[in-house]
Amino acid sequence: MKLSIERASLLKAVSQAQSVVERRNTIPILANVLIEAEGNTVNFRATDLDIEVVDKADAMVERAGATTVSAVMLHEIVRKLPDGSMVTLTDDAAAGRLTVEAGRSNFNLATLPKEDFPVMASSEYSSNFSCNAAVLRRLFDKSKFAISTEETRYYLNGVYMHVSDADGGKVLRCVATDGHRLARIDADLPEGAADMPGVIVPRKTVGELRKLLDDDEMKIAVSVSETKVRFATPDITLTSKVIDGTFPDYTRVIPQGNTRKLEVDAKDFANAVDRVATVSSERSRAVKLSLDEDRLVLSVNAPDSGAAEEELAVAYGDERLEIGFNAKYLLEIASQVDRENAVFLFNSAGDPTLMREGNDTSAVYVVMPMRV
């Protein structure tokens, strides 16, 4: 195999591939990226056995062929090469070596046979549709903060993507929760997605998918089956197993009868929470919200380190309420608001609180209070 490729396109392809590769590997071949050159394109394929990413790049291929080489090492080399240089990759299968040449630099890397590389079995997808990158980005960006990190409740370690009913129509919905907070984000249902099975997209896949979604105009081809999900752009295909488990019935925890309404500027609120939480002890990080007519007092009382208090002008017309929250959860939820105002709906000091952006019901957040 011998090919020449521009540094920028090589770096883009290799960086996506190497981010999938697990740093600590017991199986040596999984640390490698499979390079397949044919015609005038070269494919870079990497996997951790749960996720597979294939990146296509244009190249001048002199000799077709395939080999595998350390993904992290190749990425580091290409990253350090001067901008705009042409990189030549030459594989010597007999010697088990890949030569990387650019300008006056010359690298000789150990390879492993391509036959050992595990290629993810192709499967039939029951649902195929295309979706705008901006839509997918919003769905996953706004929900991923609530993904659980508890390994025991593995079915919460991802975002539940499914078709649901909202306001009399069907929507594409993403939900994530860790038991303390929940995010439910809706988007218009793309054409052809109506019969999509609900799947739990793992946390790592959500992180990798994010890298495909920077271009607002890009159309992403989405394919879903009971066991796998695939996201594809013209250059990159990301295939992932989905979490094998049943996502809990989240509709039961979204409060319907919360009537006490607080409207506050999201940015001011987040900054105030951040300021008063500075004095609280790391573990509890509890912030107390004391609500009275059109004023909100945020306070933290940490006996060992001090106390803090800040008052905000807000829109609130119900009876007095004192309620406590974990500061980190409040900050994360408030930072999801794109518009100016966040609307909080309370019931009592012991019940879950609902938050949304203005009157927009397509993004709803729930956070559990804590005793203060």
Side-chain angles (χ1 to χ4, degrees), residues 98-164:
L98 176 76
T99 311
V100 181
E101 291 170 283
R104 296 180 178 182
S105 310
N106 188 309
F107 302 89
N108 208 326
L109 308 180
T111 62
L112 287 171
K114 63 175 190 292
E115 290 75 27
D116 297 349
F117 194 86
V119 173
M120 202 177 258
S122 58
S123 56
E124 289 295 310
Y125 293 98
S126 55
S127 173
N128 297 284
F129 58 93
S130 80
C131 189
N132 248 7
V135 172
L136 280 177
R137 187 172 66 221
R138 175 178 169 273
L139 282 172
F140 285 101
D141 272 6
K142 283 184 173 297
S143 57
K144 67 184 179 192
F145 74 92
I147 296 175
S148 172
T149 50
E150 260 182 74
E151 295 300 325
T152 47
R153 299 164 78 185
Y154 62 91
Y155 47 84
L156 296 181
N157 294 165
V159 172
Y160 181 42
M161 180 172 79
H162 59 297
V163 177
S164 185

Side-chain angles (χ1 to χ4, degrees), residues 258-264 291-292 294 314-319 321 342-347 354 356 358-359:
N258 287 11
T259 52
R260 298 177 175 185
K261 182 177 172 187
L262 157 73
E263 196 161 332
V264 58
L291 285 155
D292 219 339
D294 286 349
V314 297
Y316 180 75
D318 286 282
E319 65 247 50
L321 174 69
V343 173
F344 287 88
L345 293 165
F346 303 100
N347 186 24
L354 192 83
R356 59 172 197 251
N359 293 321

Side-chain angles (χ1 to χ4, degrees), residues 154-156 160 198-200 226 242-248:
Y154 62 91
Y155 47 84
L156 296 181
Y160 181 42
V199 290
I200 307 172
E226 296 284 351
V242 299
I243 293 174
D244 182 15
T246 307
F247 201 80

Side-chain angles (χ1 to χ4, degrees), residues 40-62:
N40 55 3
T41 58
V42 55
N43 283 347
F44 296 87
R45 187 188 298 263
T47 184
D48 66 357
L49 296 182
D50 289 325
I51 305 175
E52 180 186 74
V53 65
V54 184
D55 220 312
K56 269 215 302 262
D58 291 331
M60 291 184 291
V61 181
E62 284 183 42

Side-chain angles (χ1 to χ4, degrees), residues 44 90 109 111 113 188 310 320:
F44 296 87
T90 315
L109 308 180
T111 62
D188 293 338
E310 181 161 341
R320 278 182 61 82

Side-chain angles (χ1 to χ4, degrees), residues 145-304:
F145 74 92
I147 296 175
S148 172
T149 50
E150 260 182 74
E151 295 300 325
T152 47
R153 299 164 78 185
Y154 62 91
Y155 47 84
L156 296 181
N157 294 165
V159 172
Y160 181 42
M161 180 172 79
H162 59 297
V163 177
S164 185
D165 295 302
D167 302 330
K170 295 270 190 205
V171 291
L172 179 62
R173 175 174 288 176
C174 280
V175 178
T177 182
D178 64 358
H180 303 290
R181 61 255 165 96
L182 175 144
R184 189 201 79 193
I185 317 296
D186 292 350
D188 293 338
L189 190 66
E191 211 173 300
D195 53 353
M196 179 187 99
V199 290
I200 307 172
V201 184
R203 166 203 300 280
K204 183 174 174 183
T205 309
V206 172
E208 291 303 323
L209 170 63
R210 183 64 187 77
K211 296 168 189 167
L212 275 61
L213 305 178
D214 284 327
D215 180 0
D216 282 1
E217 301 306 309
M218 181 78 79
K219 280 277 193 210
I220 309 286
V222 185
S223 308
V224 184
S225 74
E226 296 284 351
T227 55
K228 285 202 190 111
V229 60
R230 187 177 71 196
F231 301 94
T233 70
D235 297 330
I236 302 173
T237 305
L238 175 71
T239 311
S240 168
K241 293 180 181 169
V242 299
I243 293 174
D244 182 15
T246 307
F247 201 80
D249 178 10
Y250 60 88
T251 51
R252 292 212 320 271
V253 299
I254 297 178
Q256 303 298 334
N258 287 11
T259 52
R260 298 177 175 185
K261 182 177 172 187
L262 157 73
E263 196 161 332
V264 58
D265 182 293
K267 202 161 185 196
D268 292 349
F269 177 73
N271 290 339
V273 170
D274 200 17
R275 281 192 290 272
V276 295
T278 315
V279 299
S280 76
S281 58
E282 266 312 304
R283 197 174 53 79
S284 63
R285 299 277 297 197
V287 172
K288 184 159 88 175
L289 280 65
S290 308
L291 285 155
D292 219 339
E293 191 157 331
D294 286 349
R295 67 189 274 265
L296 161 67
V297 178
L298 296 163
S299 60
V300 168
N301 195 352
D304 49 347

